Amino acid sequence: MNTMLKLVAAVSTAALPLTAAEVTGKVSLKGTPPPEKVIAAVKADANCGKVAQGDAKTRIYLVGPDGGLANTIVYVKKGLEGKTFTAPATKVDIDQAGCMYQPYVSAAMVGQTLAIKNSDPFMHNVNVQPKVAGNKGFNIAQATQGKVDEKSFEKPELGIRFACNVHPWMIAYVSTFENPFFAVSDDKGNFTIKGDLPDGKYTLEAYHQKGGAVTQDIEVKGGKAKADFTIEVKAAQ
Ligand SMILES: [Cu+2]
């Protein structure tokens, strides 16, 4: 290795934050969920029918082949009291495509920009009425393809509902947090929370829009921790 390369290697090692942590795990669903339903109204709609990508389906409990539950938000609920965090500059994209919100479940930090887009060549509106005081609601029309509106929320809130009044099946949920230590489980139920989370004891919560929340105490040691969660299917109401 020449001197220059050595220097680069030394600098990049030094730049790594000492507290870079990784909390990983899997969320599983216990119980048999009702089957997801095809939303027939998508293909039946004069506009949506032209852009529908296959059969649009409900996304209440999305379960992988080995029971992993998608769309569960895992976040640090306790252990960071008194600390403040700055929202990342990265934007959280929420798209309306084929008359469905994509993704169905998102997470953002308070103050982080949500870039809400209409990818369809006709109008959607985005109607959002948060429940927590300090979070401002909005109802915006996005008449043209490619239109993007940027919004953010100032307070933590679980499951802020995004709706479209033109297409009543179009629903998405956004949760906001005061710290950046959160992740949404993937289609196998796996999640990874990455960031400068110092070693120590924390309470994690796994929150699923339909199945509810479960908590677990963890200890991050040497920047690592592992936590698996089980969410139970809620009885039909
Ligand atoms: Cu719509």
Side-chain angles (χ1 to χ4, degrees), residues 127-141:
N127 191 349
V128 180
Q129 307 301 331
K131 295 186 174 119
V132 169
N135 277 340
K136 286 195 189 109
F138 51 90
N139 185 3
I140 45 177

Side-chain angles (χ1 to χ4, degrees), residues 42-121:
V42 177
K43 275 191 180 166
D45 183 273
N47 287 321
C48 299
K50 290 178 195 147
V51 295
Q53 296 151 8
D55 278 334
K57 279 185 166 182
T58 57
R59 297 171 279 185
I60 312 296
Y61 290 105
L62 292 188
V63 184
D66 57 352
L69 180 63
N71 287 340
T72 307
I73 300 171
V74 182
Y75 68 99
V76 174
K77 184 172 188 169
K78 282 186 198 158
L80 293 166
E81 291 74 16
K83 296 193 168 80
T84 53
F85 299 92
T86 307
T90 50
K91 295 174 185 177
V92 174
D93 293 318
I94 298 170
D95 196 8
Q96 298 159 98
C99 286
M100 294 287 278
Y101 274 107
Q102 303 290 357
Y104 183 56
V105 168
S106 313
M109 228 189 104
V110 293
Q112 187 173 7
T113 300
L114 307 171
I116 308 159
K117 185 181 182 184
N118 178 8
S119 287
D120 288 333

